[in-house]
Amino acid sequence: MSFEREDFGLLGPLHLNSIDWANSNHRRSIAASLVQGTYILERDRQEKRQGSQALAPPWWEFFHFKLIRQLVDDVDSCVFGAIYEYAPPSSHCNDSIDRSPRYVIAFRGTINKPDSFSRDFSLDIHIIRNGLHQTSRFEIAMKAVRNMVAMVGDSSVWLASHSLGAAMAMLAGKTIAKTGNFLEAFLFNPPFLSAPIERINYGNVKHGLRFASSFITAGLVLATKGKRWKRSGMGPLRG
C-alpha cells in the first residue's frame, strides 16, 4: 500500500537516535528526511489525514525539529515546502551541535497524484522553457528564504530539496548569495543535465554557495555506524 512508503516507523532512519552533526552522512540523511516530510505533508493534505492519522510529523519530530510554517502554492493551494526549527532537548546538547542548523527550509519535487500533479508538471515544463524565477511558487519560496536569513543569519539556515524543489533551492541559493549570504544546501537530484552553478559569473558567489551535496540518486542515503552507508529500499523521494 502506498501509505507504507510514507510511514517513518517502517522506512525512516531509526538508527539515527544519536546525531553527530559533524558527520556529513548524518546531516545528509536528516536533510533527506525533512524533504520526505515535506512530500508527506502534501500527501496528508490530499488524503485528509489529520491529528493521529497524519504520517508526516515523525519525519521531523524524530530529529527534534518543529514544523513552524508550510509553504503553500497560491495557484492550487498545495504544500510545496516547509520551514523546520531545530529544538533539541538540553540532554542532547554536545560539541557537534555547533554544526546543526537552527532552521531548515525544505522543498519537495513533483508528486504524481491528481491533486498536485498538474501544477507540479506545469512548473517542470516552465523550468525547461523559462526557468523558475518568474513563477509565483518561487517568489513565495524566495521570500521565505530572505526573511529567515534576515532574522537569524545565513549560518543558521539550511536548504534541503529534491528534483523540482532542488531547482528552486539552487536558484534561491544563487540569488541570496549575491547579497553575501551563503547557505548550506542539500540538493537531491536537481533536474538539470549539468549544475547551473557553473553558469554563475559572480566570482565569490559561485564559490561561496556551500552545496553539501549536488547530485544524489533518489532515495534516502542513510548513515550507518562507522563510515558505511546503506540505502533504504523505500525510494521515498519522488521525481
Side-chain angles (χ1 to χ4, degrees):
M1 298 178 66
S2 61
F3 76 88
E4 293 179 346
R5 297 195 298 270
E6 301 168 349
D7 190 331
F8 183 85
L10 293 175
L11 296 169
L14 296 172
H15 61 285
L16 284 182
N17 51 14
S18 179
I19 303 169
D20 178 4
W21 288 104
N23 185 314
S24 61
N25 295 340
H26 286 202
R27 298 199 306 274
R28 188 177 295 113
S29 294
I30 292 168
S33 293
L34 296 178
V35 175
Q36 176 69 352
T38 306
Y39 271 107
I40 302 173
L41 270 173
E42 170 59 14
R43 292 289 297 130
D44 282 347
R45 183 192 72 85
Q46 293 176 6
E47 298 296 326
K48 298 179 173 59
R49 298 186 300 231
Q50 299 178 355
S52 61
Q53 294 183 326
L55 296 179
W59 289 92
W60 59 81
E61 291 177 349
F62 183 82
F63 307 107
H64 305 289
F65 282 87
K66 297 188 301 182
L67 174 67
I68 63 170
R69 182 186 170 192
Q70 298 181 19
L71 301 178
V72 178
D73 193 295
D74 62 354
V75 174
D76 63 358
S77 298
C78 72
V79 178
F80 71 88
I83 302 177
Y84 303 99
E85 180 182 10
Y86 184 49
S90 57
S91 61
H92 283 239
C93 293
N94 55 53
D95 292 340
S96 78
I97 204 168
D98 291 339
R99 296 292 305 274
S100 67
R102 184 173 174 188
Y103 294 95
V104 177
I105 305 174
F107 305 112
R108 66 166 177 83
T110 303
I111 294 180
N112 297 321
K113 299 292 182 181
D115 286 353
S116 56
F117 178 74
S118 177
R119 172 64 169 162
D120 290 349
F121 183 71
S122 69
L123 288 172
D124 289 332
I125 298 301
H126 197 282
I127 290 176
I128 297 173
R129 293 178 175 176
N130 307 301
L132 268 172
H133 62 285
Q134 295 179 341
T135 66
S136 61
R137 183 179 291 191
F138 176 72
E139 290 174 0
I140 294 168
M142 193 65 237
K143 183 177 180 180
V145 173
R146 282 198 184 101
N147 288 347
M148 193 58 63
V149 170
M151 184 173 70
V152 299
D154 58 355
S155 64
S156 298
V157 180
W158 285 5
L159 301 179
S161 55
H162 174 249
S163 190
L164 172 62
M168 192 173 304
M170 188 176 288
L171 182 55
K174 168 186 171 181
T175 302
I176 205 74
K178 294 177 187 177
T179 68
N181 295 289
F182 307 118
L183 305 180
E184 185 161 353
F186 296 82
L187 311 179
F188 301 93
N189 282 31
F192 300 102
L193 295 179
S194 61
I197 189 174
E198 295 305 323
R199 297 200 294 270
I200 300 173
N201 295 315
Y202 295 93
N204 290 337
V205 172
K206 175 177 176 179
H207 298 290
L209 286 168
R210 298 199 301 266
F211 290 124
S213 180
S214 295
F215 293 89
I216 298 178
T217 304
L220 287 174
V221 178
L222 307 179
T224 60
K225 291 183 179 180
K227 294 187 178 180
R228 295 182 304 162
W229 289 15
K230 68 177 180 180
R231 180 183 305 280
S232 75
M234 64 188 287
L237 302 179
R238 285 83 167 170

